[in-house]
């Protein structure tokens, strides 16, 4: 509220926008959305109204996630129910803390629903809007770029990227005209150093290593290598998805009104690369703070049910991750455990990848 109050008062220089918690480090979409909240909550003083608003955002997020799960038909209902009813940390992030991370993820899940429905332009608009709220959404972008290329071709990809770029430019115009460098550095600063005391995932490291620039470069290299390792998986899934959608498009006109075609489960071939790319980014993050749990919490049941592990182990992994995120402050063991579980899930996804651990047919049937 303090950060957006500066904008309301006429300050458009990002280097001058700050609050008690520090400088404004989010893109312009955050400013506009929280400006609306500023007015709806009586300059941020009416916390109860803000909590009601975030209750609605929470329900909308669940509706979007449930629709993705319904479309892909991969996750049994009880796993979704357990994950939604048992996470104290997620409820806290939404209703007690009211961070911008839930806002960004809600818009992201809306965009994925649009992609599943074949509404690529609307999906790209929403994806870019989510990025404008918080840039962690870019962790999904490597898989999304491949989805554009395989499903829409080169010209279609250029069109979607133009939509994404145009929205970023439009939202940022007032700040770009005032001080473009301050806006770009403030909102998309990938070199920002996080405080060691807030880290959830690297507590087992000495602080001097945690803040070392070479360590950050190493994490970036590991991130890129993991994306390269999963490249064939992403390619196989997305090419198969594009082919299935083309078949659906060709046979639909030949069907009578009484005939039915059901290819919804093929959507998991689109969702799997998106969720996996995001998990890779989370696992390689320089620092995870407690509100960052929302970045991948609702994708965990889907990812775990794409691994070859038994149901018992999947539920154990969900419980261990929840335990790590609810340990405050984080400890040597909680942060180490979180990495072990992340690596185990990525290993399971790679082992069970389409064409190796299971066939495309099995993936599309949710087996």
């Amino acid at each position: 509220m303090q950060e957006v109050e500066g904008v309301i008062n006429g300050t458009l220089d990002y280097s001058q926008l700050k609050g008690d918690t520090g400088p404004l480090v989010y893109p312009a979409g955050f400013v506009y959305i929280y400006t609306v909240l500023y007015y709806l909550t009586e300059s941020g003083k009416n916390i109860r109204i803000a909590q009601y608003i975030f209750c609605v955002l929470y329900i909308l997020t669940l509706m979007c996630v449930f629709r993705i799960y319904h479309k892909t038909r991969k996750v049994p209902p009880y796993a979704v129910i357990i994950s939604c009813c048992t996470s104290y940390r997620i409820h806290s992030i939404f209703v007690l803390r009211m961070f911008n991370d839930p806002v960004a993820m809600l818009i992201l899940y809306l965009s994925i629903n649009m992609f599943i429905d074949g509404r690529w332009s609307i999906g790209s608009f929403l994806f870019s809007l989510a990025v404008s709220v918080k840039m962690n959404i870019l962790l999904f972008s490597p898989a999304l770029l491949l989805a554009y290329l395989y499903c829409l071709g080169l010209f279609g990809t250029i069109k979607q990227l133009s939509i994404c770029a145009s929205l970023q430019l439009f939202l940022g115009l007032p700040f770009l005209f005032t001080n473009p460098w301050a806006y770009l550095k403030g909102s998309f600063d990938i070199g920002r150093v996080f405080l060691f005391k807030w880290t959830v995932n690297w507590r087992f490291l000495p602080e001097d290593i945690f803040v070392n620039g070479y360590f950050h470069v190493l994490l970036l290299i590991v991130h890129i290598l993991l994306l390269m390792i999963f490249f064939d998986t992403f390619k196989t899934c997305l090419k198969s998805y594009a082919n299935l959608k083309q078949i659906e498009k060709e046979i639909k006109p030949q069907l009578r009104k009484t005939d039915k075609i059901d290819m919804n489960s093929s959507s998991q071939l689109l969702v799997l690369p998106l969720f996996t790319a995001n998990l890779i980014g989370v696992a390689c993050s320089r620092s995870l703070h407690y509100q960052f749990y929302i970045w991948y919490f609702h994708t965990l049941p889907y990812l775990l049910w794409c691994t070859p592990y038994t149901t018992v182990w999947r539920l154990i992994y969900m419980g261990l991750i929840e335990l790590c995120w609810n340990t405050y402050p984080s400890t040597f063991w909680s942060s180490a455990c979180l990495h072990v579980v992340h690596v185990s899930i990525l290993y399971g996804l790679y082992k069970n990848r389409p064409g190796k651990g299971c066939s495309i047919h099995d993936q599309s049937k949710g087996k």
Side-chain angles (χ1 to χ4, degrees):
M1 294 294 98
Q2 291 172 330
E3 292 165 359
V4 301
E5 189 173 48
V7 178
I8 294 170
N9 292 333
T11 303
L12 298 179
D13 185 343
Y14 247 60
S15 64
Q16 303 300 317
L17 296 170
K18 61 187 66 176
D20 291 342
T21 58
L24 175 57
V25 293
Y26 308 120
F30 161 83
V31 175
Y32 299 129
I33 290 174
Y34 273 75
T35 296
V36 173
L37 290 174
Y38 181 90
Y39 287 114
L40 291 177
T41 60
E42 302 170 9
S43 305
K45 297 180 177 64
N46 195 326
I47 304 300
R48 180 62 62 87
I49 290 180
Q51 289 183 300
Y52 286 147
I53 293 172
F54 272 81
C55 282
V56 174
L57 294 181
Y58 179 62
I59 299 300
L60 291 175
T61 300
L62 291 182
M63 290 172 63
C64 291
V65 172
F66 288 170
R67 187 174 187 271
I68 293 171
Y69 284 160
H70 173 70
K71 287 285 188 179
T72 58
R73 300 181 184 180
K74 187 74 178 177
V75 181
Y78 67 84
V80 180
I81 294 172
I82 290 174
S83 66
C84 292
C85 296
T86 57
S87 180
Y88 162 81
R89 180 64 64 188
I90 294 300
H91 297 160
S92 172
I93 291 170
F94 270 94
V95 183
L96 296 181
R97 306 301 177 181
M98 295 172 281
F99 290 108
N100 62 329
D101 304 78
V103 179
M105 293 307 298
L106 167 59
I107 302 172
L108 181 277
Y109 290 127
L110 279 170
S111 73
I112 293 178
N113 273 282
M114 293 299 102
F115 292 140
I116 290 175
D117 291 344
R119 300 176 181 178
W120 290 93
S121 295
I122 299 176
S124 296
F125 177 88
L126 290 170
F127 183 85
S128 185
L129 182 60
V131 172
S132 76
V133 178
K134 195 160 189 181
M135 63 179 291
N136 71 283
I137 303 300
L138 290 173
L139 296 178
F140 292 87
S141 60
L144 181 59
L145 178 59
L146 291 178
Y148 285 155
L149 289 169
Y150 287 117
C151 296
L152 304 176
L154 179 60
F155 290 107
T157 299
I158 294 174
K159 175 185 175 183
Q160 300 308 316
L161 293 178
S162 299
I163 293 172
C164 294
S166 298
L167 181 63
Q168 293 298 321
L169 180 62
F170 175 76
L171 293 175
L173 272 180
F175 310 103
L176 289 169
F177 279 133
T178 304
N179 190 339
W181 174 246
Y183 174 69
L184 294 175
K185 186 178 185 302
S187 355
F188 300 100
D189 183 11
I190 61 174
R192 189 164 72 250
V193 179
F194 294 98
L195 296 176
F196 181 69
K197 69 176 182 178
W198 294 117
T199 186
V200 176
N201 57 332
W202 295 114
R203 181 67 62 180
F204 60 88
L205 291 178
E207 185 172 359
D208 58 335
I209 294 179
F210 173 80
V211 299
N212 190 289
Y214 290 108
F215 175 64
H216 299 165
V217 173
L218 176 62
L219 290 175
L220 177 60
I221 293 172
V222 173
H223 188 175
I224 295 172
L225 288 175
L226 284 171
L227 289 174
M228 292 173 63
I229 289 171
F230 277 89
F231 174 78
D232 285 339
T233 301
F234 295 170
K235 178 181 176 181
T236 301
C237 286
L238 294 170
K239 286 184 70 174
S240 300
Y241 178 75
N243 291 336
L244 287 171
K245 284 299 179 183
Q246 183 61 35
I247 293 172
E248 179 183 6
K249 184 178 179 180
E250 291 175 355
I251 65 176
K252 260 190 173 181
Q254 304 172 16
L255 297 176
R256 297 171 298 178
K257 292 184 179 180
T258 55
D259 293 331
K260 292 183 179 180
I261 178 172
D262 186 4
M263 299 183 71
N264 278 337
S265 58
S266 65
S267 300
Q268 61 187 265
L269 297 172
L270 172 65
V271 173
L272 177 60
L274 291 171
F275 285 2
T276 303
N278 182 58
L279 176 62
I280 290 172
V282 170
C284 297
S285 292
R286 288 180 297 155
S287 183
L288 294 175
H289 295 177
Y290 285 97
Q291 66 268 31
F292 297 176
Y293 190 18
I294 194 66
W295 290 5
Y296 73 132
F297 171 77
H298 292 106
T299 72
L300 286 172
Y302 180 87
L303 291 170
L304 283 166
W305 259 260
C306 288
T307 66
Y309 305 136
T310 63
T311 298
V312 172
W313 272 108
R314 292 164 179 165
L315 295 175
I316 289 174
Y317 280 147
M318 290 173 63
L320 287 174
I321 291 177
E322 182 70 16
L323 178 63
C324 293
W325 282 96
N326 279 287
T327 301
Y328 178 82
S330 60
T331 65
F332 177 100
W333 294 110
S334 67
S335 60
C337 177
L338 187 63
H339 279 288
V340 170
V341 176
H342 286 168
V343 171
S344 298
I345 296 174
L346 288 172
Y347 172 76
L349 291 170
Y350 184 76
K351 184 178 180 181
N352 207 43
R353 65 194 186 278
K356 291 293 182 180
C358 62
S359 66
I360 293 296
H361 175 75
D362 289 336
Q363 284 284 75
S364 64
K365 292 299 183 182
K367 295 181 179 178

